[in-house]
Amino acid sequence: MYKMIALFKKPEDPASFDEYYFNTHMPMTNQIPGLEKVEITKMSGSSPYYLMCVMYYASKEAFKEASKTPESKATGKDVMEFAGDLVTFMFGEDVNG
Amino acid sequence: MYKMIALFKKPEDPASFDEYYFNTHMPMTNQIPGLEKVEITKMSGSSPYYLMCVMYYASKEAFKEASKTPESKATGKDVMEFAGDLVTFMFGEDVNG
């Protein structure tokens, strides 16, 4: 699988963040064509990030195609507007271990 | 699921790192009792980390039990010896999105 990973630093107001993230942002994310699975993990307080969202695509090519869609562009714009100062992105291919 | 996540910064010698990581460290990791699944992702060059390893446990309790085993302790000692300056750990619970 190919993964796009969003790591969020702890927001000043976690309750407001969660409200927006789960009720507005994730419903947008879930509409991205080609997005096969999402795993969201809430980190413990000792972790350097507050939340991780892993978005799974079948391949890098599938991810690239998805990125061209209006749904993906709208979702990307949204995350930068509500959490541009908190989010770090990573991209990569799964390997066997 | 409960996740323990290891994020590795880019090593000075990626080939040596990979050799040890995949041929020595991961076989140790895979022996930890209660470890249900592992996903390893190699990140693209623009990402702030080189590699991510996500270790899945059924619950926080299962993870705590696993952490008491000799296999877990040996694996933890090993990673600090070969990559203590590269690794960051995170811990958390999956939530629905």
Side-chain angles (χ1 to χ4, degrees), chain A residues 10-39:
Chain A
K10 189 170 186 178
E12 277 186 32
D13 182 345
S16 294
F17 178 93
D18 286 5
E19 161 70 20
Y20 190 85
Y21 187 79
F22 289 103
N23 297 323
T24 300
H25 183 68
M26 282 312 301
M28 293 176 71
T29 302
N30 289 327
Q31 288 177 37
I32 298 173
L35 178 61
E36 302 217 347
K37 187 172 70 163
V38 172
E39 283 184 9

Side-chain angles (χ1 to χ4, degrees), chain A residues 47-76:
Chain A
S47 300
Y49 293 96
Y50 172 71
L51 186 143
M52 176 174 77
C53 178
V54 181
M55 289 154 275
Y56 293 73
Y57 291 89
S59 65
K60 187 171 183 176
E61 291 64 39
F63 166 73
K64 281 186 177 177
E65 284 305 307
S67 301
K68 296 174 188 167
T69 64
E71 292 87 347
S72 175
K73 288 177 182 171
T75 303

Side-chain angles (χ1 to χ4, degrees), chain B residues 69-94:
Chain B
T69 63
E71 291 88 347
S72 174
K73 288 177 184 170
T75 303
K77 184 168 181 284
D78 186 63
V79 75
M80 294 316 291
E81 282 171 2
F82 89 91
D85 56 338
L86 301 174
V87 70
T88 296
F89 295 107
M90 304 194 291
F91 304 87
E93 293 273 3
D94 279 352

Side-chain angles (χ1 to χ4, degrees), chain B residues 23-95:
Chain B
N23 297 322
T24 301
H25 183 69
M26 282 312 302
M28 294 176 71
T29 303
N30 288 328
Q31 288 177 37
I32 298 172
L35 178 60
E36 303 217 347
K37 187 173 70 162
V38 172
E39 284 184 8
I40 300 172
T41 309
K42 271 232 187 154
M43 302 300 170
S44 67
S46 62
S47 299
Y49 293 96
Y50 173 71
L51 186 143
M52 177 175 78
C53 178
V54 180
M55 290 154 275
Y56 292 73
Y57 292 89
S59 64
K60 187 171 184 177
E61 292 64 39
F63 167 73
K64 282 187 176 176
E65 285 304 308
S67 301
K68 296 175 189 168
T69 63
E71 291 88 347
S72 174
K73 288 177 184 170
T75 303
K77 184 168 181 284
D78 186 63
V79 75
M80 294 316 291
E81 282 171 2
F82 89 91
D85 56 338
L86 301 174
V87 70
T88 296
F89 295 107
M90 304 194 291
F91 304 87
E93 293 273 3
D94 279 352
V95 291

